Amino acid sequence: MPFRYKSFNSNIRLSSRIVRDTSLNLLVTSCLIPETIDHLVGYAIEQSEHLLGDTVEKLLHLCYYLGYTPSHSDEFFTASVNVIFRDKERMQGLSLLHSALALCFFHKLPEPLVKYIFTVDFLERMDDEISQCYSKVRQVKRNTHD
């Protein structure tokens, strides 16, 4: 599958869904194709007002996971922070934490986002998300006979 992204260039019309899906596919395959990522980042910068925080998070997390600093990184991180801060109440807590981790990795984590993550409201929201998580380990009660 990664070979099809090699031909990804500025002639391909992007959408938020393509940005999200391509970011996820490159993440899952641990595939670094700088030209493709830079193309996605360019779209994210241009269309940041219309992208959801979850979409931006996928692209940020991809760059973090691969250790790749995209072209126009300053503009990308600024746009990403604006989108994430705008959507912070609607994003899943884990996505917000992934975004914060990626921004921290690139030394672009703003103090207001750090303060938000450590508010009681956000931490309670995380507790609620964790309690609803299907993958959490549950301890099975055992009947013991003495």
Side-chain angles (χ1 to χ4, degrees):
M1 173 182 23
F3 64 87
R4 73 184 243 218
Y5 292 115
K6 293 256 187 208
S7 62
F8 225 74
N9 60 39
S10 57
N11 295 328
I12 294 177
R13 184 178 159 104
L14 293 178
S15 67
S16 59
R17 172 172 260 170
I18 290 172
V19 170
R20 187 194 66 213
D21 291 350
T22 303
S23 296
L24 284 172
N25 287 336
L26 293 174
L27 179 70
V28 169
T29 58
S30 298
C31 187
L32 174 60
I33 305 172
E35 301 82 12
T36 299
I37 296 173
D38 288 341
H39 187 50
L40 299 176
V41 163
Y43 180 84
I45 292 167
E46 291 172 16
Q47 298 297 320
S48 63
E49 295 175 15
H50 307 287
L51 291 178
L52 296 175
D54 288 324
T55 301
V56 170
E57 178 268 327
K58 301 291 185 269
L59 187 52
L60 267 175
H61 191 72
L62 172 67
C63 293
Y64 157 73
Y65 181 79
L66 296 175
Y68 177 68
T69 303
S71 298
H72 309 291
S73 60
D74 286 339
E75 296 96 330
F76 172 57
F77 295 134
T78 298
S80 297
V81 165
N82 291 337
V83 170
I84 289 163
F85 214 74
R86 179 197 70 205
D87 291 356
K88 68 184 183 299
E89 298 294 334
R90 293 184 294 269
M91 291 174 69
Q92 289 184 351
L94 183 58
S95 292
L96 194 62
L97 291 175
H98 277 168
S99 299
L101 177 63
L103 289 167
C104 185
F105 177 79
F106 291 107
H107 306 286
K108 298 294 183 179
L109 181 60
E111 188 173 331
L113 190 54
V114 173
K115 287 181 178 180
Y116 176 77
I117 288 170
F118 287 100
T119 62
V120 172
D121 288 342
F122 181 77
L123 294 173
E124 286 176 347
R125 189 171 119 197
M126 288 303 302
D127 285 343
D128 290 343
E129 283 185 30
I130 291 169
S131 72
Q132 300 299 317
C133 182
Y134 291 106
S135 65
K136 87 175 180 184
V137 177
R138 297 179 184 215
Q139 200 169 21
V140 178
K141 292 183 181 181
R142 296 180 185 184
N143 291 332
T144 56
H145 301 290
D146 293 347

